[in-house]
Amino acid sequence: MADAKYLLPQIDLTEFNLGIISHFSVREMINFKEEEYEQFLIPFMYDLSHDTEEIKFFDYLFLEDTQLSKILLSLIKSLQLLYKTKKFDFSTDNGIININIADASINRNNFNRLCEVIREMFFVKPKEQDEENVVYQVSEQNKSILEEYLRLKQEHEKEMEELNKKNQKTIHQLVTIVASQCLWDFDRVLDMTYYRLIVTYISIAEIDSYATYIKYHSSGQFDMKNQKQKHWLETVGK
């Protein structure tokens, strides 16, 4: 079920030591370069279902390995965009490594929660790791983590290409549709959060779909006995 807190301009995650996150505005999203947005999401897309209390994905990022260090650097860049600051540092508390940025201290205990929030903010799902890729030897785990990360990157790029082929709605289209349907000034839409833009567009699409269904159903010219659609009041915002 959708969480109403995502409709707020900021998400308070202080209870998890993740500080306060501000949504990206539509204007900010437009100013993103496509590859920059893709790179931003990837560090939060990893399947963390194989984490255990003994070893977690976050722990691997601090091993002495050149490739894993690159993944850590990618995460740092994403966090800088998310928390809107370049300043960060590392600290250790009772053997737990923290990435301190803005008012957040990100570590092995709350990174999973941060990933969940990012996925919900941007309407993305984590990638599932193939069982055959799960390796339990420490020396092999490093290689497995890297291979999985590169696989995510390649799959995400492929998905973006497929979406473009299917004429997926661009932000330009979404802004135009919302502004037109709601009779709003474009600047008002550009100042919306990206999350609000998406849920508004989805609502418009669902209401329009239901209206179309009713027209077909009431016309008497089509066999609609096997076609059922919930009223938009039961679907919008869920």
Coordinates of all heavy atoms in Angstrom, one line a residue, residues 113-145:
R113 N 17.2 -0.1 4.8 CA 16.0 0.8 4.9 C 16.1 1.9 3.9 O 15.1 2.3 3.2 CB 15.9 1.3 6.3 CG 14.7 2.3 6.5 CD 13.4 1.6 6.2 NE 12.3 2.5 6.3 CZ 11.2 2.4 5.6 NH1 11.0 1.5 4.8 NH2 10.2 3.3 5.8
L114 N 17.3 2.5 3.7 CA 17.5 3.6 2.8 C 17.2 3.1 1.3 O 16.5 3.8 0.6 CB 18.9 4.1 2.8 CG 19.3 5.2 1.9 CD1 18.5 6.4 2.2 CD2 20.8 5.5 2.0
C115 N 17.6 1.9 1.0 CA 17.4 1.3 -0.3 C 15.9 1.2 -0.6 O 15.4 1.5 -1.7 CB 18.0 0.0 -0.5 SG 19.8 0.1 -0.6
E116 N 15.1 0.7 0.4 CA 13.7 0.6 0.3 C 13.0 1.9 0.0 O 12.1 2.0 -0.8 CB 13.1 0.0 1.6 CG 13.5 -1.5 1.8 CD 13.0 -2.0 3.2 OE1 12.4 -1.1 3.9 OE2 13.2 -3.1 3.5
V117 N 13.5 3.0 0.8 CA 12.9 4.3 0.6 C 13.1 4.8 -0.8 O 12.2 5.4 -1.5 CB 13.5 5.3 1.6 CG1 13.1 6.7 1.3 CG2 13.0 4.9 3.0
I118 N 14.4 4.7 -1.3 CA 14.7 5.2 -2.6 C 13.9 4.5 -3.7 O 13.4 5.1 -4.6 CB 16.2 4.9 -2.9 CG1 17.1 5.7 -1.9 CG2 16.5 5.4 -4.4 CD1 16.8 7.2 -1.9
R119 N 13.7 3.2 -3.6 CA 12.9 2.4 -4.6 C 11.5 2.9 -4.6 O 10.9 3.0 -5.6 CB 13.0 0.9 -4.2 CG 14.3 0.3 -4.4 CD 14.4 -1.1 -3.7 NE 15.7 -1.6 -3.7 CZ 16.1 -2.5 -2.9 NH1 15.3 -3.1 -2.0 NH2 17.4 -3.0 -2.9
E120 N 10.9 3.2 -3.4 CA 9.6 3.6 -3.3 C 9.4 5.1 -3.8 O 8.4 5.4 -4.5 CB 9.1 3.5 -1.9 CG 8.9 2.1 -1.4 CD 8.6 2.0 0.1 OE1 8.6 3.0 0.8 OE2 8.4 0.8 0.6
M121 N 10.4 5.9 -3.6 CA 10.4 7.3 -4.1 C 10.4 7.3 -5.6 O 9.8 8.2 -6.2 CB 11.6 8.0 -3.6 CG 11.5 8.4 -2.1 SD 13.1 9.2 -1.5 CE 13.2 10.7 -2.6
F122 N 11.1 6.4 -6.2 CA 11.3 6.4 -7.7 C 10.6 5.3 -8.4 O 10.8 5.1 -9.6 CB 12.8 6.4 -8.0 CG 13.5 7.7 -7.6 CD1 14.1 7.8 -6.3 CD2 13.4 8.8 -8.4 CE1 14.7 8.9 -5.9 CE2 14.1 10.0 -7.9 CZ 14.7 10.0 -6.7
F123 N 9.7 4.6 -7.7 CA 8.9 3.6 -8.3 C 9.7 2.5 -9.1 O 9.4 2.1 -10.2 CB 7.9 4.2 -9.3 CG 7.0 5.2 -8.7 CD1 7.4 6.6 -8.6 CD2 5.8 4.9 -8.1 CE1 6.6 7.5 -8.0 CE2 5.0 5.8 -7.5 CZ 5.4 7.2 -7.5
V124 N 10.7 2.0 -8.4 CA 11.5 1.0 -9.0 C 11.6 -0.3 -8.1 O 11.3 -0.2 -6.9 CB 13.0 1.4 -9.3 CG1 13.0 2.5 -10.3 CG2 13.7 1.9 -8.0
K125 N 11.9 -1.4 -8.7 CA 11.9 -2.7 -7.9 C 13.4 -3.2 -7.9 O 14.1 -3.0 -8.9 CB 11.0 -3.7 -8.5 CG 9.5 -3.3 -8.5 CD 8.7 -4.4 -9.1 CE 7.2 -4.1 -9.0 NZ 6.4 -5.1 -9.7
P126 N 13.7 -3.8 -6.8 CA 15.1 -4.4 -6.7 C 15.2 -5.6 -7.7 O 14.3 -6.2 -8.0 CB 15.2 -4.9 -5.3 CG 13.8 -5.2 -4.9 CD 13.0 -4.1 -5.6
K127 N 16.4 -5.8 -8.2 CA 16.7 -6.9 -9.0 C 16.9 -8.2 -8.2 O 17.5 -8.1 -7.1 CB 18.0 -6.7 -9.9 CG 17.9 -5.4 -10.8 CD 16.8 -5.6 -11.8 CE 16.7 -4.4 -12.7 NZ 15.6 -4.5 -13.7
E128 N 16.4 -9.3 -8.6 CA 16.5 -10.5 -7.9 C 17.8 -11.2 -8.4 O 18.1 -11.3 -9.6 CB 15.3 -11.4 -8.2 CG 14.0 -10.9 -7.6 CD 12.9 -11.8 -7.7 OE1 13.1 -12.9 -8.3 OE2 11.8 -11.5 -7.3
Q129 N 18.6 -11.6 -7.4 CA 19.8 -12.3 -7.7 C 19.6 -13.8 -8.0 O 18.8 -14.4 -7.3 CB 20.8 -12.2 -6.6 CG 22.2 -12.7 -6.9 CD 23.1 -12.5 -5.7 OE1 22.6 -12.4 -4.5 NE2 24.4 -12.4 -5.9
D130 N 20.1 -14.3 -9.1 CA 20.0 -15.8 -9.4 C 20.6 -16.6 -8.3 O 21.7 -16.3 -7.8 CB 20.6 -16.1 -10.7 CG 19.9 -15.4 -11.9 OD1 18.7 -15.1 -11.7 OD2 20.6 -15.2 -12.9
E131 N 19.9 -17.7 -7.9 CA 20.4 -18.5 -6.8 C 21.8 -19.1 -7.1 O 22.6 -19.3 -6.3 CB 19.4 -19.6 -6.5 CG 18.2 -19.2 -5.8 CD 18.5 -18.6 -4.4 OE1 19.4 -19.1 -3.7 OE2 17.8 -17.6 -4.0
E132 N 22.0 -19.4 -8.4 CA 23.3 -20.0 -8.8 C 24.5 -19.0 -8.6 O 25.6 -19.4 -8.6 CB 23.3 -20.4 -10.3 CG 23.0 -19.3 -11.2 CD 22.2 -19.7 -12.4 OE1 21.3 -20.6 -12.3 OE2 22.5 -19.2 -13.5
N133 N 24.2 -17.7 -8.5 CA 25.2 -16.7 -8.3 C 25.6 -16.5 -6.9 O 26.5 -15.8 -6.6 CB 24.8 -15.4 -8.9 CG 24.8 -15.4 -10.4 OD1 25.4 -16.3 -11.1 ND2 23.9 -14.6 -11.0
V134 N 24.8 -17.1 -6.0 CA 25.1 -16.9 -4.6 C 26.3 -17.9 -4.2 O 26.2 -19.1 -4.2 CB 23.9 -17.3 -3.7 CG1 24.2 -17.1 -2.2 CG2 22.7 -16.4 -4.1
V135 N 27.4 -17.3 -3.7 CA 28.6 -18.0 -3.4 C 28.9 -17.7 -1.9 O 28.8 -16.6 -1.5 CB 29.8 -17.6 -4.3 CG1 31.0 -18.5 -3.9 CG2 29.4 -17.8 -5.7
Y136 N 29.3 -18.7 -1.2 CA 29.5 -18.5 0.3 C 31.0 -18.4 0.7 O 31.2 -18.1 1.9 CB 28.8 -19.6 1.0 CG 27.3 -19.6 0.8 CD1 26.7 -20.4 -0.1 CD2 26.5 -18.7 1.6 CE1 25.3 -20.4 -0.3 CE2 25.1 -18.7 1.3 CZ 24.6 -19.5 0.4 OH 23.2 -19.4 0.2
Q137 N 31.9 -18.7 -0.2 CA 33.3 -18.5 0.2 C 33.6 -17.0 0.1 O 33.3 -16.3 -0.8 CB 34.2 -19.3 -0.8 CG 34.0 -20.8 -0.7 CD 34.3 -21.3 0.7 OE1 35.3 -20.9 1.3 NE2 33.6 -22.3 1.2
V138 N 34.3 -16.5 1.1 CA 34.6 -15.1 1.2 C 35.4 -14.6 0.0 O 35.0 -13.6 -0.6 CB 35.4 -14.8 2.5 CG1 35.8 -13.3 2.5 CG2 34.6 -15.1 3.7
S139 N 36.4 -15.3 -0.5 CA 37.2 -14.9 -1.6 C 36.3 -14.8 -2.9 O 36.5 -13.9 -3.7 CB 38.3 -15.8 -1.8 OG 37.9 -17.1 -2.1
E140 N 35.3 -15.6 -3.0 CA 34.5 -15.6 -4.2 C 33.4 -14.6 -4.0 O 32.9 -14.1 -5.0 CB 33.9 -17.0 -4.4 CG 34.8 -18.1 -4.8 CD 35.4 -17.7 -6.2 OE1 34.6 -17.3 -7.1 OE2 36.6 -17.9 -6.4
Q141 N 33.0 -14.3 -2.8 CA 31.9 -13.3 -2.6 C 32.3 -12.0 -3.2 O 31.4 -11.3 -3.8 CB 31.6 -13.2 -1.1 CG 30.8 -14.3 -0.6 CD 30.5 -14.2 0.9 OE1 31.4 -13.7 1.6 NE2 29.4 -14.8 1.4
N142 N 33.5 -11.6 -3.0 CA 33.9 -10.3 -3.6 C 33.7 -10.2 -5.1 O 33.1 -9.3 -5.6 CB 35.4 -10.0 -3.3 CG 35.7 -9.9 -1.8 OD1 34.8 -9.8 -1.0 ND2 37.0 -9.9 -1.5
K143 N 34.1 -11.3 -5.8 CA 33.9 -11.4 -7.2 C 32.4 -11.4 -7.5 O 31.9 -10.8 -8.5 CB 34.6 -12.6 -7.7 CG 34.4 -12.8 -9.2 CD 35.2 -14.1 -9.7 CE 35.0 -14.3 -11.2 NZ 35.7 -15.6 -11.6
S144 N 31.6 -12.2 -6.8 CA 30.2 -12.3 -7.0 C 29.5 -10.9 -6.9 O 28.6 -10.6 -7.6 CB 29.6 -13.3 -6.0 OG 28.2 -13.4 -6.2
I145 N 29.9 -10.2 -5.8 CA 29.3 -8.8 -5.6 C 29.5 -7.9 -6.8 O 28.6 -7.2 -7.3 CB 29.8 -8.2 -4.3 CG1 29.4 -9.0 -3.1 CG2 29.4 -6.7 -4.2 CD1 27.9 -8.9 -2.8

